[in-house]
Amino acid sequence: MGFKKILFWLLSLPLSYFAISLFHQSYNLLNWVDFLFILGLVLLVTGCLMCVVAGGFFSSFIHSCKVFFASISKKEQIISEIEGKKERSNISFRKSFFPSKLMIILGFGYCIVSLFLSILIVNS
């Protein structure tokens, strides 16, 4: 990870402490640790979902469903015979997003930091 990414991550930790004031009237260290863990989980799940979508899993699934329903539909078979289409085109629905690996790393880092801090708080 580059220096700018590490600096961004380190600066976002104190900013998240002030962001918790939007959700809680009175906040303390334990509320911040909980908020940090939830933020990490949201980033982790969002990054993983973006990675799956960018990988083309859903485009293959959609294409397979279209081929299956076209093969069992008599109306579709008649239309394809009239038009002379024998081969179906392979259309890709891949999306490009914000770097999903960065979101996964940030989310995992937030979860680890919150886990470490919660252990320290409980043991003290």
Side-chain angles (χ1 to χ4, degrees), residues 4-5 12 16 22 24 32 36 54 57 59 92 102 110 118:
K4 290 182 181 180
K5 293 177 185 176
S12 67
S16 68
L22 298 173
H24 292 284
W32 177 64
L36 195 64
F57 171 77
S59 64
S92 177
L102 177 64
Y110 286 155
S118 65

Side-chain angles (χ1 to χ4, degrees), residues 63 66-67 70-71 73-91:
H63 178 70
K66 285 182 179 180
V67 168
S71 68
S73 171
K74 294 291 182 185
K75 184 179 178 181
E76 181 69 29
Q77 289 175 359
I78 292 171
I79 291 173
S80 64
E81 285 177 10
I82 291 172
E83 292 180 352
K85 292 182 181 178
K86 294 294 179 188
E87 296 181 20
R88 292 174 179 89
S89 61
N90 222 356
I91 300 172

Side-chain angles (χ1 to χ4, degrees), residues 2 6-7 20 25 57 59 75 77 82 107 113 119 121 124:
I6 293 173
L7 185 64
I20 196 172
Q25 295 289 337
F57 171 77
S59 64
K75 184 179 178 181
Q77 289 175 359
I82 291 172
V113 166
I119 290 171
I121 291 171
S124 62

Side-chain angles (χ1 to χ4, degrees), residues 23-71:
F23 300 108
H24 292 284
Q25 295 289 337
S26 62
Y27 54 94
N28 55 18
L29 187 60
L30 189 58
N31 287 341
W32 177 64
V33 170
D34 290 342
F35 179 76
L36 195 64
F37 187 76
I38 291 171
L39 181 67
L41 280 180
V42 167
L43 284 173
L44 193 61
V45 168
T46 305
C48 289
L49 182 65
M50 288 178 5
C51 190
V52 167
V53 169
F57 171 77
F58 294 112
S59 64
S60 300
F61 179 73
I62 291 170
H63 178 70
S64 298
C65 287
K66 285 182 179 180
V67 168
F68 173 73
F69 288 121
S71 68

